[in-house]
Amino acid sequence: MSLHLYNSLTRRLEPFAPIDPACPTMYVCGPTVYNYVHIGNARGPVVFGVLADLLRRRFGALKYARNITDVDDKINAAARDQGVAISTITDRFAAAYRADMAALGIAPPDIEPAATAHIGEIVAMIERLIDSGHAYAAQGHVLFAVGSFDGYGKLSRRDTDDMIAGARIEVAPYKRDPGDFVLWKPSTDDLPGWESPWGVGRPGWHIECSAMAAAHLGETIDIHAGGVDLQFPHHENEIAQSECAHGGAPFAKVWLHNGMLTFAGSKMSKSVGNIERVHDLVRTHAPEALRYALLSAHYRQPLDWSDALIEQSVRTLDRLYGTLRDLADVEAEARIPDSIERALDEDLNTPAALAEVARIAGEARKATDASARATLKSELLGAGLALGLLQQPPADWFARGASDDDDARIQTLIDERIAAKQARDFARADAIRDQLAAEQIVLEDTPQGVRWKRG
């Protein structure tokens, strides 16, 4: 099997060949920690987490970095509005981000660099850019000279004039060219700042990722991934400053971009206000269903987020966990089927992988031979493992986080209803059924007896 990935830089599906076959490198753009993230921000970590696991299976090791941006004007504004220290904001929301990602079954990266811990590396990179003629200091700022890099625009495939017209470019008198972007900016006493050759200041957003990637993964990395909304200007600027700082060495061999989530057809965005926060969703819905929903469309395509999508994901997982519950008497260890690996090898085709999960579960429900049931259970568990699904006991899934006492109460009511039906006390049986329905408890008659689940 050979992994193929769609490279946004070349616009082609390409076989993946890491620089070091014993240990590929991957950098994923992480959050700016000034508030809770919305569900669209979780799509990349979910999908590229699946890729991280795949790379470890293929190559035996991986160096995976996902950064934390903890110095930013949005953070400064949040701290000012709430009347608290900047570290109060960044510590709170970095911790919330980690907890919310963990709830979605996203394993932490190998490396989680924070911008404020890399000021020295950032300043050194800016100095190299100035020395090589690719950046200049002006009025306490340092700016990258876009015109000095002939490759500017090679990722987004737009010329400079079009890029400037389509972006929120700050017009400032200290810029030589309107498209030049900030590497360093001055700080007043009420803002975070560090000593530098250009005075007390703080880094621009783009330079942070370049410096952190180089510090932990090297001058050229195998994979750089993030949302398609970051392609320009963030990723375009990363390429420019990194390649110019490193004598023209390519910044990343492969660029991966996940599509945006939409809400009723419109892009999900904090600025628009049409967002659903992961922090809230994992408290009102089964987190595994949210993960399933994020994997249900190919990562490069838009995904329209809705309650109906979540409900469909819950129903699908009900069937899959129901299959595992019916196989409770079968001993089996997870084994990832080749069909799942082939689907993921084709540019992380998670819809095809999920279709294969459904096929395996269907075969398992029909199987009667003991050997076949064991094989299919092993494959179903392994298929789920490759996608970060089906790893909890079926009873835990159907309990939806309820307490053992509540489960026992519901089972007692079901037993009482069965006894009432056997005694032909249909009025009492119907009353219990209505009570359970009001609590959104769904009853299911099976050859093994009455099963129940939370709706």
Side-chain angles (χ1 to χ4, degrees), residues 327 329-332 335 363-364 367-379:
L327 294 169
D329 60 321
V330 177
E331 292 291 330
R335 183 186 70 79
E363 292 294 322
T368 56
D369 176 74
S371 176
R373 295 178 79 225
T375 297
L376 289 163
K377 182 178 181 180
S378 172
E379 291 184 352

Side-chain angles (χ1 to χ4, degrees), residues 10-31:
T10 62
R11 301 294 196 274
R12 291 197 304 266
L13 189 67
E14 300 173 347
F16 176 65
I19 299 166
D20 178 1
C23 187
T25 55
M26 180 167 73
Y27 186 95
V28 174
C29 285

Side-chain angles (χ1 to χ4, degrees), residues 141-364:
H141 296 74
V142 180
L143 298 107
F144 183 88
V146 168
S148 72
F149 180 53
D150 290 339
Y152 197 74
K154 64 182 176 180
L155 179 64
S156 55
R157 301 262 179 121
R158 292 181 289 181
D159 65 37
T160 305
D161 291 340
D162 287 344
M163 286 186 284
I164 292 172
R168 296 189 294 272
I169 299 294
E170 180 187 1
V171 177
Y174 48 79
K175 287 187 175 185
R176 295 178 184 170
D177 184 278
D180 293 350
F181 58 88
V182 171
L183 303 173
W184 189 264
K185 60 181 105 175
S187 292
T188 54
D189 292 341
D190 61 327
L191 293 173
W194 291 264
E195 291 288 347
S196 80
W198 319 285
V200 175
R202 60 199 190 278
W205 175 37
H206 311 300
I207 193 70
E208 297 171 9
C209 286
S210 288
M212 290 186 284
H216 295 282
L217 304 179
E219 293 184 359
T220 300
I221 60 179
D222 287 308
I223 298 171
H224 194 310
V228 70
D229 58 328
L230 298 178
Q231 193 175 85
F232 181 83
H234 184 50
H235 291 165
E236 198 75 70
N237 291 352
E238 280 188 82
I239 290 173
Q241 62 205 8
S242 294
E243 297 191 1
C244 290
H246 298 139
F251 177 37
K253 291 181 61 181
V254 179
W255 286 85
L256 304 180
H257 290 97
N258 63 274
M260 295 294 95
L261 258 62
T262 57
F263 198 79
S266 299
K267 176 191 169 184
M268 195 176 286
S269 169
K270 289 188 181 78
S271 61
V272 176
N274 62 342
I275 63 168
E276 292 203 50
R277 305 188 309 183
V278 177
H279 196 72
D280 300 325
L281 286 169
V282 297
R283 285 155 177 78
T284 56
H285 299 283
E288 190 170 346
L290 304 175
R291 181 183 180 88
Y292 187 101
L294 289 169
L295 292 170
S296 63
H298 191 275
Y299 79 93
R300 285 193 285 117
Q301 301 303 315
L303 173 62
D304 198 51
W305 191 260
S306 65
D307 288 342
L309 175 64
I310 300 172
E311 290 163 8
Q312 179 58 49
S313 299
V314 169
R315 289 195 295 271
T316 300
L317 286 167
D318 279 345
R319 288 195 299 274
L320 296 174
Y321 272 112
T323 302
L324 289 173
R325 183 174 58 185
D326 291 343
L327 294 169
D329 60 321
V330 177
E331 292 291 330
E333 295 291 330
R335 183 186 70 79
I336 300 174
D338 289 347
S339 57
I340 295 292
E341 299 283 27
R342 283 194 296 271
L344 296 179
D345 275 346
E346 287 301 311
D347 196 30
L348 302 177
N349 193 339
T350 56
L354 291 173
E356 184 62 12
V357 171
R359 185 197 67 77
I360 294 167
E363 292 294 322

Side-chain angles (χ1 to χ4, degrees), residues 409-423:
R409 179 186 64 81
I410 291 168
Q411 189 60 54
T412 298
L413 285 170
I414 291 170
D415 293 343
E416 184 181 344
R417 178 175 177 267
I418 293 170
K421 289 175 70 175
Q422 291 171 344

